[in-house]
Every structure is written in structure tokens, then in C-alpha cells.
Amino acid sequence: MIYSTYLGSYQCEVGEIGVDAAGHAFVSGTAHYYPVFPTASVDNHVCFDRTTGNNSFYAELNPAGSALLYTAYAEKLVALDSKGLFYSSSSNRILQRTDSTGPAYGVGCVTNAASLLPGPVAPGEIVSLFGLGLGPDEAAVGWPDAAGRFPTTLSNTSVLIDGLAAPLLYVSKGQINAVVPFGVGAKSAGRIEIKGTEVELDPADIDETQAAPAAFTLDGSGSGQAAAINEDGTFNSPTNPAPRGSTIALWLTGFGQMQPVPTDGLISQGPSSSPVLRPTARIGTSVQPAEVTYCGDAPGMIYGAIQMNIRIPQFSDTGQLQLTVEMGQGSFAKSPPIAISVK
């Protein structure tokens, strides 16, 4: 035996292994439900999807088996060979990983920045783009100018969504955080272009929708405990639950068009815009929706971030409860569930 090792945890299932003449091992398999597969690069050509429970991955190990040289989530992988060629059944693309250049540069997926789940994007939504070669090697954070407006070019990188410049919050070679311009319409198909990169990138097609709500969580994972403030100004948590009948504040994005229409990239100086589509909040098992006492732009934050104040029903369940937000006629847009604590 030359070496033995393991990948991920019990929630990872190795499918196939190939070895080249130099001893590099190429591995493909499936990670279930949670992103427990170790990542050794910033490249995520296809985002991890918690909703399906099955996510393909591919990886390369060094000849000693002591280090991961490359890992990424991918489309449906069906085979690999000893040269590190991975074959995908969904798009007939071949993902090749034989040296440090990695697979094709470009946007791999676009997620809601709060839930980190892929899906259609809405006007004003704060989004995270993942991929390879998206921006500078040294990450840069966007800051508002003297007028309180975030840049649309950062470290020579810019993002166009349907031809409109998106305000930039963060850029790096593997991730960009941006805000979908409010001028983007809810078309069935849109396009994202990234300019200023070392390698010219092909445009990426995206789906668009009227609303794609999601709440920010305390640990930034997109699930679990909500980033919520109790009425007394303290963080909501299992050890610090909110009393029934009190009001909690939480922050979300993806609420779509606002009225009046905000200026892209500008920081909100106070309540001024509210969603065109009316939101409904549901807590725990209650049939009746919770009262929304405020829903609009979040003062001190970029337009696209939403503050929502919700009164917990007087006869609500107690403990750690699921909270969801629904929008539009027939609740066509529903946020992924997050947790709040009630006593």
C-alpha cells in the first residue's frame, strides 16, 4: 500500500478514481445535503445545492495522497479517466484538470447572497457570483463614495446585468458580491457579463423573476439562526429568545421592485422605499401570518437590503421556530426557512 486517506465525511460518497502516470489521483463522487466535501480552491463551477441532497464533486490529490490540489462541485459527473478528464452527462462538457490552470474560466453559478442558494434573480437582489477568474487575485471590498454610493468598477472589475452596471460590494478571482440593478426586468432569461478580467469571459445566462426573497443568517451560511434583533436591541438566539407579542427585526434581500424606485448603489438614509409586492411572514405552525409592522429599505445599508419588522403572535409556539416570507399573489415567491427563538 502506498497510502490511504479519506475525503469529507460520511455524507460524501466516492464514485470513481483514476490515476495518471505521475501518481496523481482523480476522484469523483457525491456530497449529500451539506457542503462537507473539503475545498482546496475558490472555483465552484456549480454551486452546492442543499435542496436536492445530491451534489457531484471532482478532485485531484497529489502523488503522496497528502494534499488536495484541486476540488470543485460540478454538474452530473458520470465518468473520469486516468488523465483527469471528467465527463458530465448534463451538458456534454469535459472538465479537464491536469495542471494548475483548472477548468474553463467564467461564472459557475449565481446565488442569493443571503441564502447562498442558486436560482432566478430579482431586481435589487444582493447576489454572489462564484466561478474562476472572475476578478483580481487580491480581493477588494467596495466602499461608498462621499455621496454614499457604491462603485460599479472595483479593482478594474465591473459586472453588467442585462447591460446595466451592477453596484459592487466585493470582488475576487473566485467570488463577486453585487446588487442586481433595479432597472433589470423580470424576464425569463437574462445575461451577466464581467469586464476587466485578465482572461476574457463568456457571458453567463441567468433566469430572472419578480422576487426571490431570502433572509440573512447569523453565521452567514444561508440556513439556521436568523440574523435577527429582539425588541430590546439584543440578538435573537436560543439562549436569548424573543417574548411572544414582541417585535423582531431581520434583514433580507431579493424583494424585487421598490416604490419609489431607489438609486442603484446608494446607501439608504432612512425609510423611503417599500416593495411593490406585499410580503407575508409565517412563524412556526401558526395558520395566521405574523403582523409585519415595517418592510422597506434598511437605513444605513445599500438599497437592495431589506429590513423587516415582525410582531410575534401572542399565542405563538415557543422554542426555535421556522420563519418564512412569502411574496406576491398566491405566494409565488417563498424564502428558504430560517430559525428564530421565541419564549
Side-chain angles (χ1 to χ4, degrees), residues 205-217:
D205 294 329
I206 56 171
D207 294 326
E208 297 172 355
T209 186
Q210 288 181 286
F216 289 95
T217 56

Side-chain angles (χ1 to χ4, degrees), residues 3 22-25 60-69:
Y3 69 80
H24 295 88
E60 177 186 349
L61 287 82
N62 68 358
S66 59
L68 282 168
L69 301 181

Side-chain angles (χ1 to χ4, degrees), residues 182 256-262 272-277 296-297:
F182 284 97
Q257 291 291 352
M258 307 280 285
Q259 188 63 42
V261 180
S272 59
S273 294
S274 57
V276 173
L277 297 176
D297 52 274

